[in-house]
Amino acid sequence: MYEIDGVCYAGTLDESLEVSSVKILDAGMLLVKFSSGETRLFDVLSLLSKGAAYAPLADEENRRTARVTFGFVSWMDGEIDIAPETMYQESFPYTPISSSTL
């Protein structure tokens, strides 16, 4: 556990890991690119089981407000956010399929 600006976070702080970009997909999924160069899939709906703070993300309109803010993903103009380390640990590897393989 660690604290930044009076906010406590679970896990271990990895200052080298940041979110570089995020693309909003359907069905509550995000395509997240990390500073490591790796791209992963994150299921936003999985956050709903983590407490009332994430309850607004049940609404698709709120999920579609995802933005990269100072190296992490936030929603609703910063009202909700998640540490990049947690997002990485709870996401899935992503390998794009080239149109030439179809």
Side-chain angles (χ1 to χ4, degrees):
M1 179 178 280
Y2 60 96
E3 180 225 338
I4 298 176
D5 296 329
V7 178
C8 290
Y9 298 90
T12 304
L13 176 62
D14 180 354
E15 293 186 33
S16 64
L17 187 65
E18 294 184 349
V19 173
S20 302
S21 65
V22 63
K23 180 177 181 182
I24 301 166
L25 304 174
D26 291 334
M29 299 298 288
L30 295 177
L31 191 58
V32 183
K33 185 169 185 175
F34 292 91
S35 57
S36 63
E38 189 173 357
T39 301
R40 297 175 65 88
L41 286 168
F42 181 77
D43 182 1
V44 177
L45 297 176
S46 70
L47 295 173
L48 299 178
S49 65
K50 295 189 181 287
Y54 293 107
L57 297 177
D59 183 332
E60 183 179 355
E61 269 187 55
N62 291 336
R63 288 194 306 270
R64 293 203 166 271
T65 66
R67 302 286 180 266
V68 177
T69 307
F70 302 111
F72 57 89
V73 174
S74 68
W75 294 267
M76 300 169 52
D77 292 324
E79 288 185 36
I80 300 173
D81 62 43
I82 184 170
E85 302 84 13
T86 302
M87 183 169 262
Y88 183 89
Q89 291 169 355
E90 296 181 9
S91 62
F92 305 93
Y94 171 78
T95 304
I97 298 174
S98 168
S99 60
S100 64
T101 62
L102 295 179

